[in-house]
Amino acid sequence: MTRLLVDRLVDFNNERLRLIFGERVTELTREIIERRRGDLGSALDALQRQYPDDVAALEVRFLRQSAVRQETGRYQALFEEGLIPQELFEDLKRGVTAARAAEPRPRFDIGLDTRRLIEQLDFLSALSNAQLDRVARLLRPRFTVPNERIVRAGDRGDAVFFVASGAVEVRLPVRNVRLGTGEFFGEMALLTGRPRQADVVALSYCRLLVLRKADFDRFVTANPDAGAAINRVAQTRLAMNRDDHDRAARRRPDSTRSP
Ligand code: CMP
């Protein structure tokens, strides 16, 4: 729907806005609309690749509903032209509405079943089924779209995120680090009490499992091995960032170095 609307905006911009605001402004709005159209195209393309069956089902539904709208429009026109009486028109409309209501909505299963997602996390593979059930009660599933910012540098940390599927990018001052299925992020703020060290942005559609700060300690107490594994990864990341920071500081001229 959004793409259809943006397509119509292109004509609106060319035909109507040009008359009111002139060439210069319309050129700027055209660029903005084209950029939005490009972003939408890539998002739809990614959606199509990741959920081809769901997209096909949605397209079929969309076509059917367009046909229904056209059918209603034709009856309306016949009625307005006086070719069919009101009673018949109402009857035809009821028939169309009933057919539309009878069509089931396609179920869009984005696979956010916490218990199944947990099985993607290798560092929990040693847990028994009963332990996994307990962990599942602490984790909340979250779905993200490409380019969505999940963590903002400088914010207070309120959760750690486990990637059950998809890819994210950690945007650090010196480098970007990609993390994928089975990895996690957002643990540093919880472990150190410091603000978030980097933006973390989704590169694809992701299924994440979110462990809120209030549940993190409970999780670590109940699963000490998993807690130790998270701690080890955090230490390695801290060391990497410290190295990057020191190297960057050495490259800066003395005048810009803080005393
Ligand atoms: P936090 O600081 O809470 O929020 C940003 C997150 O990015 C951070 O926790 C880590 O999970 C992640 N992160 C920071 N530095 C690195 C790194 N060098 N490699 C991988 N991930 C990192």
Side-chain angles (χ1 to χ4, degrees), residues 151 170 172 177 179 184-190 195-198 200 237 240-241:
V151 159
V170 180
L172 292 154
V177 180
L179 303 175
F184 54 84
F185 57 91
E187 79 295 350
M188 277 158 77
L190 296 200
R196 298 285 195 204
Q197 297 298 295
V200 183
R237 290 174 175 173
M240 179 200 271
N241 297 354

Side-chain angles (χ1 to χ4, degrees), residues 125-248:
S125 59
L127 300 190
S128 68
N129 270 337
Q131 283 172 312
L132 286 176
D133 285 340
R134 273 198 294 277
V135 169
R137 272 181 240 128
L138 300 177
L139 294 164
R140 300 274 170 281
R142 173 165 162 193
F143 184 73
T144 66
V145 298
N147 297 321
E148 182 173 335
R149 180 164 43 188
I150 307 157
V151 159
R152 183 191 295 265
D155 276 2
R156 219 158 40 91
D158 55 359
V160 51
F161 302 83
F162 300 93
V163 183
S165 79
V168 301
E169 189 164 75
V170 180
R171 305 212 164 133
L172 292 154
V174 176
R175 64 167 103 201
N176 294 335
V177 180
R178 290 186 171 192
L179 303 175
T181 302
E183 296 183 283
F184 54 84
F185 57 91
E187 79 295 350
M188 277 158 77
L190 296 200
L191 291 171
T192 64
R194 283 165 43 193
R196 298 285 195 204
Q197 297 298 295
D199 275 356
V200 183
V201 177
L203 293 177
S204 65
Y205 291 94
C206 297
R207 296 186 191 93
L208 306 175
L209 288 167
V210 186
L211 180 61
R212 285 169 306 184
K213 189 174 178 185
D215 295 324
F216 184 68
D217 293 338
R218 259 197 283 167
F219 171 84
V220 170
T221 310
N223 307 282
D225 290 345
I230 294 176
N231 218 346
R232 273 196 302 277
V233 171
Q235 294 309 323
T236 311
R237 290 174 175 173
L238 274 169
M240 179 200 271
N241 297 354
R242 226 177 285 127
D243 277 357
D244 281 350
H245 178 269
D246 291 349
R247 225 172 291 132

